[in-house]
Amino acid sequence: MTAIPASAPATDARPGKKLNVVLWTLQILLGLFFIIATGLPKLFGQEDAVQAFKDIGWGDWFRYFTGIVEVSGGIGLLVPRLSGLAAAGLSITTVLAAATQAFLLDAPQLAPFPLVLAVIFAWIAYERRDSIVAVREMLSR
């Protein structure tokens, strides 16, 4: 029979201090990036964003929707309780962005960047899984 040492909690999913600093640094940088550089230009109708969504062919509603998703995800990365869910959502969003680049805009050379972001967001979501569980428990009450 093997005993679990008292110093190693079996259910603690929180990252260590150094990893937590790395995660918060990434979350702040990527959160601001998604708010300022990707989401707001779509919402305010920046010329290249408008053109890109015209090229996709789904209309302005999709540009606004994408901008709201990106700004919301960026804000969510900055809120401790929402950071895991925001990262998971942005991981999906960036995979879809890569697919859009590759297949709808015929620019597969642009797809690697959002795919790298998807991996980073998936890792953040995994490391912040305790926040996802906390939100689920809060909603189930």
Side-chain angles (χ1 to χ4, degrees):
M1 184 159 23
T2 305
I4 297 175
S7 63
T11 59
D12 192 3
R14 284 178 276 168
K17 190 175 273 191
K18 287 181 183 178
L19 179 57
N20 197 40
V21 169
V22 170
L23 289 168
W24 275 113
T25 301
L26 282 171
Q27 286 171 232
I28 291 167
L29 291 174
L30 291 172
L32 292 174
F33 174 75
F34 268 79
I35 294 167
I36 297 167
T38 67
L40 289 178
K42 290 175 179 77
L43 294 176
F44 289 125
Q46 186 177 357
E47 189 177 324
D48 61 333
V50 171
Q51 187 59 49
F53 281 83
K54 279 184 183 177
D55 294 345
I56 293 170
W58 287 11
D60 282 338
W61 74 270
F62 189 60
R63 175 173 52 89
Y64 289 119
F65 174 76
T66 304
I68 289 169
V69 166
E70 291 175 351
V71 169
S72 299
I75 292 169
L77 284 175
L78 305 176
V79 178
R81 187 165 283 205
L82 299 176
S83 60
L85 285 174
L90 286 171
S91 183
I92 294 166
T93 300
T94 53
V95 167
L96 294 174
T100 300
Q101 292 287 349
F103 302 114
L104 296 180
L105 295 176
D106 197 30
Q109 70 278 9
L110 299 177
F113 179 68
L115 290 176
V116 168
L117 289 176
V119 171
I120 293 169
F121 286 131
W123 176 64
I124 292 171
Y126 175 77
E127 294 295 341
R128 299 295 189 201
R129 64 192 177 277
D130 59 330
S131 71
I132 297 171
V133 171
V135 169
R136 186 179 69 199
E137 288 173 358
M138 184 181 68
L139 294 175
S140 67
R141 292 181 196 166

